[in-house]
Each structure stands twice: as C-alpha cells, then as structure tokens.
Amino acid sequence: MADHNASMLEKGENGTRGIDHAPATKQRKPYDYGGNPLAHINTGDSVRLPAFGGEFQPGSYKSTENRKFANPAPLGLSAFALTTFVLSLINLGTRGITGPSLVIGAAFAYGGLVQLLAGMWEMAVGNTFGATALSSYGGFWIAVAIILTPGGFEIVSSLTAEDGSEAAFLNSFGLFLMGWFIFTFLLLICTLRSTVAFFLLFFTLDLAFLMLGIGYLLNGSGGPNESCIKAGGVFGILAAFLAWYNALAGIADPSNSFFLIPVAHFPWSDKGRERREKVDNDVARADQTDMGV
C-alpha cells in the first residue's frame, strides 16, 4: 500500500492529476492574426497565420518557426520584379530603346533560372500557390529569352515571311501572351481573400499580359499596336514595383528593420473580419502573453 501511495505521489509530482480526475480537455484557441506574420513567435505546428504577400501565399500559412528552409518568396518576387521592370521600360521606349535584346540576359539568369529555383523551394516548404506561380513565371521568362535570342533558335526568322512580313510571328506571340493572361487570371482569383498588395500585384500583371497580347494581335500596320504595348509597359512597371513591395514585406522583420511593411487585408478576409469585431482573438493572445510566448 505504501508503494502504491508513493507511486501515486510520484505521478502527481510529474504533473499527472491521478486516476480520480478526468483528463483535461484540450481547449481550441482561435488563430492569432495579429502582428507581423513573419515574427518569431511560438505558435505551434497547427496554428496558421493569415494570407501574406511576403510569403507568396494567398491563403492561411503555417508558422515559419520550425521550417528548415528560408522564405524563398522574396527571391522569386525580386527576380520577377527586376526582369519585368527592364522589359516594361523597353516596351515604353524609355531613352529611345526599342529592341528587347537587353532583357534576354536577365530573362535567362534572374527572371528565369533564379525564379524557377525559388518556385522549387516553395514546393519544398509546402506552398502550392508559390510553387505554381514562381515556377511558371520562371518558365515564362526562359521561354521569352529563347524566343527573342537573336539567331539562337531562329523562331522569329522562321515565322517571318519572304516579303519581310512579321504578321505570323506577331500573331503567334500575341496568342502566347494571351495564354499567360488566362493563367494569371486564374492565380488572381486565388488572391481575393488575401491582401490588397498581393491582389494588386496579380491584377496589374494580368492587365499587362492583356494589353501586350492585344498589342501584338493588332498588327495591321505591320507591327505591334504601339498604344497597347505602351499600356502593357505601364502595367508592367506597376506590377514590378508591387512585386518588390511584397518582396520587402517578406524580408523586413524586427531583426533587420526599424519598420514593418504595412499589409492591407481585404475586409472579407480573416484579418479584416477581426478588425470589424466579427472575430475576437484577444483571449488567445492574452493567454500566449501569460505563457511568455
């Protein structure tokens, strides 16, 4: 009997409540949507944070605390931004530059290869949206570089008629861009419950593809429609800066920056609903504070 009592006492000292008490029911806590989504907080594996452009994730995503990989989204976004920025300036005819040759190097190396690698790393961290988007746009830039490489695969020359007409190439390239307009629209739909900056990135990019596609298809004058190409360049510039903005949001945190990039959530998103007092997470946050999280 003494041994039995000693055993029960030892269990009590180890935190066991004993056989006379029912096991404690695990309390379900609401998700914590506050603060910087990239802050180093102990949220546990099951807790998910709100949509965030810096993670290139339009839906709720897991805490980064136990992740073995760094966040690949800023790298992919930066690669996309710079290459888009250069080509959009060329489309606008900046400083009298009209030929796209300058962008070929960036399209192969940065916008293509580096962004493709970032997409593969997004797959490794479990971000399906990021993997699909970054890998696809990495492939897009490699394809554009292949098409535009002078004398490389001779794609442009093979679609040029003997009389010098480039209508076949312009129509083909226009249809190619319209296909990317459709793909980007599908991704745009998936950002409707995320942040405003994230949505605007895909919205302006989609309009850029649309304007450029129409510009190449409207080639009755023997060349692309200049107004549509310039409009595509404007939307491309906007998309590039929005990509950089989201990339900075993923890089800047309290360990390296004096400020955090503001993220505007849609009113119908989880964060927006909380701000409209339809969801209250104050109790859960207070419990985390008491536990020293």
Side-chain angles (χ1 to χ4, degrees):
M1 185 68 180
D3 293 341
H4 177 72
N5 291 336
S7 176
M8 293 300 295
L9 179 60
E10 181 179 358
K11 289 182 179 180
E13 292 174 349
N14 291 332
T16 306
R17 298 191 179 187
I19 59 176
D20 293 333
H21 297 276
T25 302
K26 186 176 181 180
Q27 300 268 337
R28 181 181 181 275
K29 295 181 179 180
Y31 298 156
D32 183 3
Y33 296 110
N36 177 18
L38 298 182
H40 300 291
I41 56 177
N42 182 17
T43 58
D45 292 338
S46 62
V47 177
R48 289 178 175 269
L49 300 172
F52 183 55
E55 283 280 340
F56 215 64
Q57 174 58 271
S60 298
Y61 65 95
K62 287 186 177 181
S63 167
T64 61
E65 181 188 13
N66 297 320
R67 188 166 62 189
K68 297 180 180 179
F69 292 89
N71 178 14
L75 175 62
L77 286 164
S78 298
F80 171 84
L82 185 139
T83 315
T84 303
F85 178 75
V86 173
L87 183 59
S88 297
L89 289 177
I90 295 173
N91 287 332
L92 288 171
T94 306
R95 306 287 293 182
I97 301 173
T98 56
S101 298
L102 182 65
V103 80
I104 293 175
F108 267 126
Y110 198 34
L113 178 60
V114 172
Q115 190 175 185
L116 179 62
L117 290 174
M120 294 296 100
W121 288 320
E122 285 283 11
M123 190 174 296
V125 301
N127 183 359
T128 302
F129 181 91
T132 302
L134 293 179
S135 300
S136 296
Y137 290 125
F140 164 78
W141 282 117
I142 293 175
V144 169
I146 291 174
I147 293 171
L148 299 180
T149 298
F153 293 85
E154 299 183 350
I155 295 176
V156 177
S157 59
S158 65
L159 292 173
T160 302
E162 294 182 358
D163 60 357
S165 174
E166 295 183 343
F169 167 73
L170 296 175
N171 287 324
S172 299
F173 199 59
L175 293 175
F176 172 75
L177 293 172
M178 293 303 289
W180 284 99
F181 160 72
I182 296 172
F183 171 73
T184 305
F185 180 76
L186 298 180
L187 296 181
L188 177 66
I189 294 174
C190 296
T191 66
L192 291 174
R193 297 185 62 183
S194 61
T195 65
V196 176
F198 203 35
F199 169 81
L200 287 177
L201 165 59
F202 285 91
F203 180 71
T204 53
L205 178 61
D206 207 25
L207 290 178
F209 277 126
L210 178 62
M211 292 293 100
L212 292 174
I214 293 175
Y216 277 95
L217 291 173
L218 297 179
N219 51 65
S221 60
N225 184 281
E226 186 175 349
S227 298
C228 289
I229 296 299
K230 287 188 175 183
V234 171
F235 286 117
I237 292 291
L238 294 175
F241 277 103
L242 285 165
W244 271 319
Y245 183 89
N246 282 278
L248 180 58
I251 297 173
D253 62 23
S255 70
N256 59 27
S257 176
F258 290 106
F259 60 92
L260 298 179
I261 304 302
V263 180
H265 291 263
F266 282 118
W268 53 82
S269 67
D270 293 324
K271 183 67 175 179
R273 291 176 60 212
E274 180 185 354
R275 288 176 176 173
R276 288 185 287 119
E277 299 181 352
K278 289 192 175 184
V279 179
D280 187 4
N281 293 320
D282 290 339
V283 176
R285 291 188 187 130
D287 292 341
Q288 286 187 346
T289 303
D290 293 339
M291 291 186 294
V293 176

